[in-house]
Amino acid sequence: MTTDATATDWVTSGRKPPWLKVRFPGGENYIRLKKTMREGRLHSVCEEAHCPNIGECWEAGTATFMILGDTCTRACGFCAVKTGRPETAPDPLEPMRVANAVREMGLAHAVVTSVNRDDQPDGGAAIFAATIRWIRRLSPETSIEVLIPDFVGNWDALATVMTARPEILNHNTETVPRLYRRVRPKGRYERTLELLRRARELDPGTITKSGLMVGLGETKHELLLVFEDLLANGVEVLTLGQYLRPSTKHLRLVRYYHPDEFTELRDEALALGFKHVEAGPLVRSSYHAERQVSGLRVRSDIVNVPLEPLP
């Protein structure tokens, strides 16, 4: 892999390299979308996770909706989302509000994720399924991607989501097995692979996808082994992005990857067999998500999905 000494030097200097600089958000579409979110009492992972692409994506009219509240029951060492014990139960009307926002924004591709809700018996799976069905009802031409938690290995919960037939089922691997205990203390690498495999088995018509962060101390060899594991478990779409430390309380950044290194990793992943790879310093799970579904197979069976009953 091509290496650039400056990629490590930037960490020791305490400054971000120039390839990570982004424009401050504030365009007309950004303001409109923010207004839509607030009026619908909705959350977005773009805001909650301090995504560096929020200006670009919101100005382009795309966003990732975050359902099930704004408080995560886990405390992963890399994530900026608020953690703790959620004070409220999942809102059964949230799926309809998300679908209304999708329709108002005129989205061709909608991405829905959530916090972990380990306090719920199904981890919030029923709300995921209802959100998919409501979007189908109000925006039948919109393709849908869900970025789901692992449901602590509750495969009935996974089946609930898959029954609603999203176009893309995403569950992030995040890092290599050696770093799991430190990066995802409540996650299990084997469980992540099993979830992705089971999702594909439950509905072969759904595209499965996963993502990794780099810069936490992993090696290229470890990354390539993860790529092979993901392919062996049916994953077709891969995202690779730079870990950015949200605060001094979060995991220490080991080094920045140079853009050329992302290009090398993307090319090697494609050569191994992935159908689509989005790789770059600022890439996140739903960055350019509309590109990832474009050109891949499109569902033709969604007409048979039962619609969520009106309240």
Side-chain angles (χ1 to χ4, degrees):
M1 182 189 294
T2 299
T3 58
D4 185 339
T6 61
T8 302
D9 293 344
W10 283 107
V11 176
T12 58
S13 73
R15 295 181 296 124
K16 289 182 180 178
W19 58 81
L20 286 172
K21 292 181 180 178
V22 295
R23 272 192 322 176
F24 188 79
E28 182 179 341
N29 281 342
Y30 172 87
I31 294 170
R32 178 181 64 85
L33 199 152
K34 188 168 186 176
K35 182 172 181 285
T36 298
M37 289 288 187
R38 297 295 82 79
E39 289 179 346
R41 291 178 289 120
L42 300 171
H43 301 285
S44 75
V45 75
C46 319
E47 294 174 290
E48 304 296 339
H50 304 170
C51 180
N53 304 310
I54 187 170
E56 176 186 351
C57 294
W58 282 31
E59 191 59 30
T62 63
T64 299
F65 298 93
M66 191 174 79
I67 61 175
L68 300 170
D70 64 351
T71 304
C72 184
T73 53
R74 301 189 189 181
C76 296
F78 62 88
C79 187
V81 174
K82 181 172 66 174
T83 63
R85 182 182 295 276
E87 296 179 358
T88 58
D91 180 357
L93 296 180
E94 185 175 44
M96 183 172 62
R97 296 201 308 275
V98 170
N100 278 325
V102 169
R103 178 173 60 179
E104 182 177 332
M105 293 165 62
L107 297 183
H109 183 68
V111 184
V112 180
T113 188
S114 76
V115 292
N116 283 277
R117 289 299 301 260
D118 296 337
D119 60 314
Q120 298 296 308
D122 72 345
I127 298 295
F128 263 109
T131 302
I132 296 169
R133 293 182 178 124
W134 265 106
I135 295 172
R136 293 266 188 253
R137 174 185 285 273
L138 300 186
S139 303
E141 301 301 317
T142 298
S143 56
I144 303 169
E145 174 177 338
V146 288
L147 171 56
I148 63 170
D150 63 15
F151 300 127
V152 203
N154 180 343
W155 306 129
D156 289 336
L158 175 63
T160 296
V161 176
M162 298 307 297
T163 299
R165 299 180 187 173
E167 269 75 16
I168 296 181
L169 187 287
N170 185 1
H171 176 65
N172 281 334
T173 308
E174 305 293 10
T175 191
V176 300
R178 176 174 58 86
L179 300 177
Y180 245 67
R181 182 170 294 182
R182 181 163 59 91
V183 177
R184 301 186 70 186
K186 291 187 179 179
R188 300 291 181 271
Y189 180 72
E190 295 75 15
R191 189 161 68 205
T192 288
L193 295 179
E194 184 174 1
L195 180 148
L196 292 163
R197 176 180 58 77
R198 284 177 176 268
R200 190 65 183 276
E201 291 172 350
L202 284 165
D203 186 359
T206 293
I207 297 165
T208 48
K209 169 181 171 182
S210 193
L212 289 159
M213 301 174 292
V214 297
L216 288 164
E218 69 291 325
T219 67
K220 179 184 177 181
H221 178 66
E222 288 176 312
L223 288 172
L224 293 177
L225 289 177
V226 173
F227 294 175
E228 292 175 356
D229 283 346
L230 292 174
L231 284 165
N233 285 276
V235 175
E236 298 174 87
V237 177
L238 177 69
T239 59
L240 297 168
Q242 173 73 55
Y243 167 64
L244 297 176
R245 193 181 193 186
S247 76
T248 55
K249 296 180 181 178
H250 290 82
L251 289 172
R252 183 178 64 87
L253 172 67
V254 176
R255 78 176 183 91
Y256 292 107
Y257 278 52
H258 189 275
D260 290 345
E261 295 180 272
F262 283 103
T263 299
E264 286 187 33
L265 286 168
R266 182 198 64 202
D267 292 346
E268 295 202 40
L270 287 170
L272 286 171
F274 287 101
K275 299 290 181 60
H276 183 95
V277 179
E278 196 80 31
L282 293 173
V283 167
R284 297 296 180 265
S285 297
S286 51
Y287 185 58
H288 293 160
E290 69 284 353
R291 295 183 187 177
Q292 297 158 24
V293 73
S294 177
L296 297 176
R297 63 185 181 276
V298 178
R299 301 211 70 129
S300 60
D301 56 355
I302 60 171
V303 293
N304 298 319
V305 178
L307 294 176
E308 197 69 14
L310 290 167

